[in-house]
Amino acid sequence: MSNPQQLRYSKEHEWLSAIEDGVATIGITEYAANALGDVVYAQLPEVGDTVTAGETCGELESTKSVSDLYSPVTGEVTAANQDVVDDPSLVNSAPFEGGWLFKVRVAEEPADLLSADEYTAFSGN
């Protein structure tokens, strides 16, 4: 399992893209997707919602369990991935590409986000 070097990671197993024009893309890691099992339902924050770093902003349901979705940053949601809502299996098949979850206009980025190498050491993968 390889965590893309250009991303930042939270200890809740979300990833965050580089911030471009104030907006970052967020998803869950391959490690988290594998731990969840086959994702069958995604409830994502809606455009215009405010999310807060470390707080619940949605949920993913799999054949194994239901898991809260946490935002790694504080800001306003600018997009939610309708493809994942329509086909939640994208979270498993392409967690770093088509399985992204939402985009946020970042108001504040926490200092405790991890690099790919730090996340690999943290998650053991």
Side-chain angles (χ1 to χ4, degrees):
M1 186 174 326
S2 178
N3 297 304
Q5 291 292 318
Q6 74 275 17
L7 302 177
R8 305 282 292 171
Y9 300 86
S10 75
K11 290 184 177 179
E12 287 79 28
H13 308 287
E14 281 83 25
W15 58 261
L16 173 80
S17 71
I19 299 170
E20 295 181 26
D21 296 325
V23 176
T25 302
I26 295 168
I28 67 166
T29 64
E30 185 175 6
Y31 172 82
N34 288 340
L36 273 173
D38 295 334
V39 176
V40 296
Y41 173 77
Q43 185 239 327
L44 305 177
E46 296 181 11
V47 172
D49 286 353
T50 298
V51 294
T52 303
E55 292 190 8
T56 303
C57 61
E59 70 179 27
L60 297 173
E61 184 177 329
S62 72
T63 55
K64 292 181 182 179
S65 66
V66 175
S67 179
D68 286 333
L69 177 63
Y70 296 90
S71 179
V73 293
T74 297
E76 181 181 342
V77 176
T78 62
N81 189 348
Q82 187 62 44
D83 291 343
V84 165
V85 173
D86 295 341
D87 182 7
S89 70
L90 287 170
V91 172
N92 298 105
S93 63
F96 297 114
E97 294 89 26
W100 63 273
L101 301 176
F102 59 100
K103 295 183 181 200
V104 173
R105 181 163 308 283
V106 178
E108 182 180 344
E109 181 179 347
D112 63 349
L113 293 176
L114 307 172
S115 69
D117 292 339
E118 290 168 333
Y119 178 74
T120 299
F122 169 76
S123 65
N125 287 300

